Amino acid sequence: MKQYIVTGMTCASCSARVEKAVSKVSGVKSCSVNLLTNSMGVEGTASDAQIIAAVKVAGYGAKLKIGEKSNTVSNTGTNDDELLKDQETPILKKRLVYSLIFLSGLMYLSMGYMMWGWPLPRFMADNHVMMGIVQMLLTIMIMVINQKFFINGFRSMAHKSPNMDALVAIGSLAAFGYSTWALFAMTQAQLSGDEGAVVGYMHEFYFETAATILALITVGKMLESRSKGRTTDALKGLMKLAPKTATVIENNIEKTVPIEQVKKGDVFVVRPGENIPVDGVVIEGSSAINEAALTGESIPIDKTVGDQVSAATTNQSGFIKCEATRVGEDTTLSQIIQMVSDAAATKAPIAKIADQVSGVFVPVVILLSVITFIGWILAGETIGFALSHAIAVLVISCPCALGLATPVAIMVGNGMGAKNGILFKTAVSLEEAGKISIVALDKTGTITAGEPKVTDMIPVKGMNEHELLKMAYALEQKSEHPLAKSIIEKAEKEGIPAEEVSLFQALPGNGLTAVWNGSTLVGGSYQFISSQTKVSDVMLRKSEQLAEEGKTPLLFTCDGKLAGIIAVADVIKGDSPQAVEELQNMGIHVVMLTGDNERTAKAIGQQAGVDEVIAGVLPDGKENVIRKLKENGKVAMVGDGINDAPALTRADIGIAIGAGADVAIDAADIVLMKSRLSDVPAAIRLSRATLKNIHQNLFWAFSYNVIGIPLAAGVFLPIMGWELNPMFGAAAMSVSSFLVVTNALRLNLFKIKDARRDKKMKNKMKKKREEDKFFKMEKTLNIEGMTCEHCEGRVKKILEEVQGVSQAVVSHEQKKAVVKLSKEVPDEILKKVVEKEEYRVLGIS
C-alpha cells in the first residue's frame, strides 16, 4: 500500500469524494481515505501522477508521504512527524479569538440594545439604519475572518461535491443576504419617513445569526481538532522513541553520527542510560535492557554476546558493543510505526454504511432546506420565518460526526494496542478480532515455551539426583539433540563441572553410549534401554506415568544397570492456563493443534485447560484443520513458526507471536510483541471495546441527524410547539463532532487486561456440541502395514480428505486410526481410501 497526504478535506463528504475519484483511476485496486489523519492508502498499479491528478480534479491537494518511493514524480512529501503535528488547532484558535471580539460587539447591538435596552451612542440609538450598517460591517469582518468556510464550500459545489463547509456557507450567506436586503428596505422606508416600517425591518435582521453560525462552527472545529490530535498520541509517542544519533566505531575511534548514516554491519556502542539506536546483535559486553518501549514489559531483559537488541530500547546497566543488523525502515520500531500507520490508512468494514450516507448527505440536506423554506412559505409564514428554519436545517446537519465515528475509534484502539505490545495491521483486523468464536493455538512456542526443560529426576535406590544428573551430563554434553540441551542446561545451572568421556557414539534407535571414568554409560528412550537391560516394574510404571503427563522419560544405565530416569518436557508458559480460561469466559472455543502423539498432546491440553486437542497434525495439515474449523464460526489461529504461516493466512484472523519467525509475522493480521498468550484475550477484549465504541459513535451521529434535522425544519412545531433557532443549530453541530471524538478518547482509559467485564458471545460450535451434532461420531480403524511416522502421516492425510471426517488421529505403534466425524461416513469408504494406499484394514468399530 502506498500512502499519500490529502489536503483541503474538512468533512466526511470530502473524504468520500476523494475516495470515489481515486477509485475510478485505471489500475487502482483499492483506495481508503482517512479524514482523521488526512491520509490516503492506495493499492494498485496506477502511477503517482495519475492518483495526484485525480485528487486535484476532485478539488483537493495530494502528495506522497516521505518514505514512499515515487514511480513518476519527485518525492517532496510529508513525513509522519509533520503529518501528525497539530497544525490546525492554533489557526482555528486565532480565528476564534478574532471572531469573538467582533461577535461580542454585534451581540451587544442586536441583543443587548434591542432586548434589554443597553445604552448606545446617540448617533446609533437615534438612527436605526446606522445601527444596521454597523451590524452588517461587524458581520462582514467575521465572515472575512472565517472565509475558509466560503472558499472550501463554494469550491466543493463547483466540483459538484458539496461538503459541510457548503452547508455553513449557504446558511450564513442566506442569513446575511436576507439581512442586507432588509437593511436596504429599511433605508428606503426611513427616507420616505415611514417609521413603523423602519422598526418592523429591525426585526428582520439576522446578522447575528450569520455571524454566530460561523463563530460556533469554529468553536466546534477547534474542539474537534484538539481531540483528533489526542487520538494520534500513541503514534506520536512511538515516533519520539526513535533515537536521533548513534555512537559508531570507525578506525577504532568513537564517532557520533545522525541515525540516518548508520549502515548495516556498522559497530556501535551503547552506554548505561542510553537508547539503542538501531537493531543489532551484541558482540561485546552484557547489560539489562528495558524493552518497555516496544513490548510494554517493564522488567529488564538480560542481554549478552549473541543476543539481539532493538532500536529505542534502553540500556540500563552495562557497556555493550553491537553490530547493526537492521537500520532505517527495517528496524523493529520502524516496522511497528509502519503497522500502526498502515492500520490508520485502512478502513473498517463497519465504516462503509457511514461512507455511503456521507456521499449523498450534503446534497440531500440542501434539498431538505429548500423544501423547508418552500413549505413554510406555502403555509403562509413570512420569508424571515421560513428562512430561519431553512438555515437551521443547513447548519444543524453534520456529516463530520458520521465520518469520524469509525476512524477516531480505530486510531485510539490501535494506539492502545501498540502501547501494550499488540499490533493490529489493519482496521479490518481490529474490528474482526472481537467477532472470533474459535481460537486455534499451536502448541510449541505458543502454549509452551518451545524449549525443553528437565522436569523430574528419579534415581534408583542407592543413587541420588545429583549423581544421576552428573552421569547424564557427562553422556549428553557431546550430543546435539534438543533434549540433551535441557540436561546440559540443568547441570550447568546446578554448577556440575563437565567431565570428559571417551568412545562417545550415537546408537541406532534413539540411544547414546560413552565411557566415563572407566564405566560404560548408556542413555535413551524406554524402548531402547529396555532392549539393553532389565527395567523394574516400578521404574516402568513411573516412565509410563511421566509419558502420560506429556513428558519424555530418558533412562540412563551405568555398566548395564539402570541408574534412573530424567524426564524432559516442553513446559507450558506460566500465563497459558489463565489465557485459555479468559478466552473460554468470553464464550470462545479453544483448540490446541500439535504434531505430537495423542497421549502427549492430551496431557499438555489438560494442563492448559483447552476445550479440544487435535493431535498428530503435520505442518501442512494445520491449514486443513483451520478450514474445517471455519465451518463452525470465525477462527483465529495463533502461532509462531514458519510452518504456521499457511494456517495463519487461512484463518479469519492470524495472530503471530512476536518472538516467532518473520514469515509467521508477515502472514498474520495481529502481532503480539511480548510473545505472551495472555495478549490474545487482551487483543480480542480491545477489539470488542473498540467495536462497541464505534457503535456508540454511529448511533449518536445517526440519531443526532435523524432528530435534529426535523426539529430544525419545524416538523414538531405544529404538534409540540418545538422549534430551533439557527444559532442553537450551529451550536449543536459544533458539539456533535466533538462528542464523537471525545467518546473515542475514552478508549484510552480501557483496561485491556481486566477480564472481569468479559461477556460471552454466542458460539456456534458450542451450540452444536450441546445439540450433539458436531463431532458426535467416532470410528476406530485397525490397520496393518504402518511401520513409521511417515505411514501415520499418509494415512492421516487421506482420511482427513474424506468429506465428513473432521479429524484423524493415527498411531503406527497401536496400529489404529481414530476418526472423528461431523456426519455419517460409510465404513466402506474409509476402508477403500486406506487400502488404496496399500495398507490393510482389519476392522472398523
Side-chain angles (χ1 to χ4, degrees):
M1 177 184 288
K2 188 169 283 189
Q3 291 193 36
Y4 302 79
I5 308 306
V6 181
T7 57
M9 295 191 300
T10 57
C11 72
S13 295
C14 297
S15 58
R17 170 72 177 172
V18 172
E19 199 167 294
K20 188 176 180 181
V22 174
S23 295
K24 290 180 179 178
V25 175
S26 177
V28 172
K29 292 181 180 178
S30 68
C31 173
S32 177
V33 180
N34 190 317
L35 176 65
L36 179 65
T37 58
N38 293 319
S39 63
M40 174 176 67
V42 180
E43 289 183 351
T45 57
S47 68
D48 301 320
Q50 288 176 296
I51 292 168
I52 291 171
V55 175
K56 287 182 178 177
V57 169
Y60 306 90
K63 54 187 174 182
L64 274 171
K65 279 181 68 175
I66 283 180
E68 298 287 357
K69 294 181 180 178
S70 172
N71 48 28
T72 55
V73 295
S74 60
N75 187 5
T76 55
T78 305
N79 61 27
D80 288 321
D81 286 322
E82 289 180 49
L83 174 62
L84 296 176
K85 187 178 180 182
D86 188 2
Q87 298 172 332
E88 193 177 2
T89 302
I91 296 171
L92 288 168
K93 190 175 181 181
K94 193 174 182 181
R95 270 171 49 186
L96 179 61
V97 170
Y98 288 132
S99 296
L100 291 176
I101 290 171
F102 289 107
L103 183 63
S104 59
L106 178 60
M107 297 302 286
Y108 187 96
L109 292 175
S110 61
M111 298 286 188
Y113 173 74
M114 294 293 295
M115 296 177 66
W116 300 300
W118 291 356
L120 278 178
R122 180 168 293 181
F123 76 92
M124 271 197 282
D126 297 338
N127 190 336
H128 293 301
V129 172
M130 179 59 69
M131 186 165 66
I133 291 172
V134 173
Q135 287 186 47
M136 182 183 70
L137 292 174
L138 289 170
T139 304
I140 289 172
M141 292 300 295
I142 294 170
M143 292 171 77
V144 170
I145 291 167
N146 295 284
Q147 59 185 283
K148 193 172 181 181
F149 287 123
F150 299 96
I151 295 170
N152 290 340
F154 289 119
R155 183 187 291 157
S156 69
M157 286 191 286
H159 286 92
K160 299 178 183 179
S161 58
N163 58 12
M164 187 207 75
D165 287 341
L167 296 178
V168 176
I170 293 170
S172 180
L173 206 58
F176 178 79
Y178 180 74
S179 303
T180 303
W181 170 82
L183 177 60
F184 279 106
M186 178 196 284
T187 304
Q188 192 174 0
Q190 184 164 312
L191 290 173
S192 61
D194 189 351
E195 284 298 321
V198 170
V199 175
Y201 281 121
M202 281 290 292
H203 296 289
E204 298 295 320
F205 284 172
Y206 288 94
F207 287 120
E208 77 283 356
T209 299
T212 305
I213 287 171
L214 296 172
L216 287 174
I217 298 297
T218 304
V219 171
K221 281 285 184 183
M222 189 192 75
L223 293 173
E224 177 189 321
S225 177
R226 287 186 65 182
S227 299
K228 279 164 63 178
R230 288 175 58 197
T231 64
T232 56
D233 282 350
L235 192 50
K236 291 174 190 172
L238 287 171
M239 291 175 177
K240 289 177 182 176
L241 293 173
K244 300 295 185 287
T245 60
T247 305
V248 299
I249 296 178
E250 293 183 4
N251 300 322
N252 295 322
I253 299 174
E254 291 186 11
K255 182 181 178 183
T256 301
V257 298
I259 199 70
E260 296 79 11
Q261 293 182 16
V262 180
K263 303 184 295 296
K264 185 177 178 180
D266 284 354
V267 175
F268 61 91
V269 298
V270 187
R271 290 177 170 79
E274 294 179 349
N275 282 355
I276 293 168
V278 296
D279 289 6
V281 59
V282 180
I283 59 175
E284 185 182 311
S286 61
S287 180
I289 305 296
N290 189 330
E291 298 183 338
L294 300 185
T295 66
E297 185 61 65
S298 59
I299 300 173
I301 308 296
D302 291 330
K303 301 282 184 178
T304 187
V305 175
D307 289 337
Q308 301 287 332
V309 291
S310 300
T313 56
T314 305
N315 179 15
Q316 290 198 330
S317 53
F319 175 90
I320 55 174
K321 188 183 290 185
C322 310
E323 180 182 333
T325 55
R326 292 193 289 189
V327 300
E329 295 178 0
D330 296 327
T331 65
T332 304
L333 176 66
S334 295
Q335 289 175 357
I336 291 173
I337 292 171
Q338 189 62 45
M339 279 187 201
V340 177
S341 181
D342 283 348
T346 58
K347 194 161 286 185
I350 197 172
K352 289 179 181 177
I353 300 171
D355 288 345
Q356 289 169 356
V357 174
S358 299
V360 296
F361 186 86
V362 175
V364 169
V365 168
I366 293 173
L367 180 63
L368 289 174
S369 177
V370 172
I371 292 171
T372 300
F373 180 80
I374 294 171
W376 284 117
I377 292 294
L378 294 176
E381 294 293 343
T382 64
I383 293 176
F385 182 91
L387 186 65
S388 174
H389 285 83
I391 292 170
V393 169
L394 289 172
V395 298
I396 199 173
S397 308
C398 188
C400 283
L402 282 171
L404 290 170
T406 300
V408 291
I410 291 291
M411 177 61 86
V412 177
N414 211 13
M416 273 292 289
K419 284 195 291 187
N420 288 276
I422 302 169
L423 302 179
F424 297 90
K425 286 189 176 180
T426 63
V428 176
S429 60
L430 178 55
E431 178 182 335
E432 293 299 312
K435 301 174 184 178
I436 291 299
S437 58
I438 303 166
V439 171
L441 304 172
D442 177 50
K443 189 204 79 171
T444 306
T446 303
I447 292 179
T448 64
E451 297 177 359
K453 302 284 184 185
V454 172
T455 58
D456 301 86
M457 289 190 289
I458 306 171
V460 295
K461 192 173 182 181
M463 182 175 284
N464 57 40
E465 290 185 1
H466 181 81
E467 292 171 339
L468 175 61
L469 182 59
K470 184 177 180 181
M471 180 190 302
Y473 180 32
L475 178 61
E476 299 280 5
Q477 62 181 310
K478 288 190 176 182
S479 173
E480 295 181 358
H481 196 281
L483 298 182
K485 291 180 181 178
S486 59
I487 293 176
I488 294 169
E489 186 180 293
K490 175 70 173 176
E492 290 176 346
K493 188 177 179 181
E494 297 283 335
I496 297 174
E499 296 186 15
E500 282 297 318
V501 295
S502 59
L503 302 177
F504 174 83
Q505 187 180 1
L507 302 172
N510 297 323
L512 299 174
T513 183
V515 175
W516 172 62
N517 294 336
S519 298
T520 301
L521 303 180
V522 180
S525 64
Y526 168 76
Q527 287 82 0
F528 177 77
I529 295 297
S530 61
S531 67
Q532 303 287 319
T533 188
K534 181 175 174 57
V535 178
S536 67
D537 292 341
V538 174
M539 297 302 277
L540 171 60
R541 284 194 295 271
K542 287 184 178 179
S543 175
E544 289 174 344
Q545 183 184 344
L546 291 168
E548 286 172 3
E549 293 172 0
K551 300 169 184 177
T552 301
L554 300 175
L555 282 70
F556 295 89
T557 68
C558 180
D559 290 332
K561 293 181 180 179
L562 186 66
I565 302 173
I566 295 181
V568 177
D570 183 9
V571 295
I572 67 171
K573 295 177 182 176
D575 67 330
S576 291
Q578 181 186 346
V580 170
E581 185 181 356
E582 288 181 12
L583 289 170
Q584 291 167 336
N585 289 338
M586 291 177 174
I588 293 171
H589 183 80
V590 185
V591 180
M592 186 183 85
L593 307 182
T594 177
D596 289 344
N597 61 68
E598 192 168 9
R599 185 167 64 173
T600 302
K602 283 185 175 179
I604 296 292
Q606 191 173 12
Q607 291 177 48
V610 299
D611 295 304
E612 180 182 350
V613 174
I614 301 179
V617 181
L618 298 176
D620 58 350
K622 291 181 182 178
E623 183 187 8
N624 191 40
V625 173
I626 296 298
R627 186 187 287 111
K628 291 186 177 181
L629 287 173
K630 284 176 71 173
E631 295 173 4
N632 303 283
K634 285 188 177 290
V635 178
M637 169 68 191
V638 187
D640 71 327
I642 292 174
N643 58 13
D644 295 324
L648 290 169
T649 305
R650 173 63 60 185
D652 295 290
I653 293 292
I655 303 177
I657 297 293
D662 288 343
V663 176
I665 292 171
D666 290 340
D669 302 292
I670 302 172
V671 178
L672 307 181
M673 296 298 296
K674 293 184 199 172
S675 300
R676 289 199 320 212
L677 193 58
S678 58
D679 282 343
V680 174
I684 294 171
R685 198 173 291 122
L686 178 59
S687 171
R688 290 184 180 181
T690 303
L691 198 58
K692 182 180 178 182
N693 193 279
I694 291 172
H695 286 150
Q696 292 169 347
N697 287 344
L698 287 174
F699 176 79
W700 161 254
F702 278 110
S703 300
Y704 164 82
N705 284 294
V706 167
I707 296 170
I709 292 174
L711 178 63
V715 171
F716 302 115
L717 184 58
I719 308 167
M720 303 177 182
W722 294 353
E723 62 178 329
L724 190 71
N725 186 292
M727 290 187 286
F728 290 111
M733 181 185 186
S734 300
V735 171
S736 63
S737 297
F738 173 67
L739 288 178
V740 164
V741 179
T742 303
N743 184 53
L745 287 171
R746 289 193 309 110
L747 281 172
N748 283 315
L749 304 175
F750 181 70
K751 297 176 181 178
I752 67 173
K753 296 290 185 181
D754 189 352
R756 289 176 296 179
R757 296 185 180 180
D758 288 343
K759 293 182 180 179
K760 288 192 176 183
M761 291 178 65
K762 290 182 180 179
N763 193 313
K764 183 180 175 183
M765 175 175 267
K766 288 185 182 294
K767 186 178 178 181
K768 278 191 173 185
R769 291 199 165 206
E770 287 167 6
E771 296 172 354
D772 291 326
K773 290 181 180 178
F774 186 68
F775 285 173
K776 180 181 178 181
M777 293 165 283
E778 202 172 84
K779 291 187 177 183
T780 302
L781 288 75
N782 295 314
I783 303 171
E784 190 177 74
M786 295 190 297
T787 58
C788 63
E789 291 181 356
H790 178 68
C791 295
E792 286 182 2
R794 284 177 64 191
V795 173
K796 178 180 176 64
K797 184 177 181 181
I798 58 171
L799 284 172
E800 289 186 342
E801 286 175 352
V802 175
Q803 190 173 8
V805 176
S806 302
Q807 181 194 358
V809 179
V810 184
S811 171
H812 75 277
E813 294 172 343
Q814 298 177 4
K815 299 185 184 329
K816 70 177 183 178
V818 178
V819 292
K820 293 182 179 179
L821 309 175
S822 58
K823 65 178 185 179
E824 184 62 54
V825 179
D827 292 352
E828 293 77 17
I829 292 177
L830 297 174
K831 183 177 180 180
K832 184 178 179 180
V833 295
V834 173
E835 293 191 339
K836 191 177 179 181
E837 295 294 320
E838 299 182 358
Y839 300 103
R840 187 180 173 196
V841 178
L842 301 177
I844 301 178
S845 58

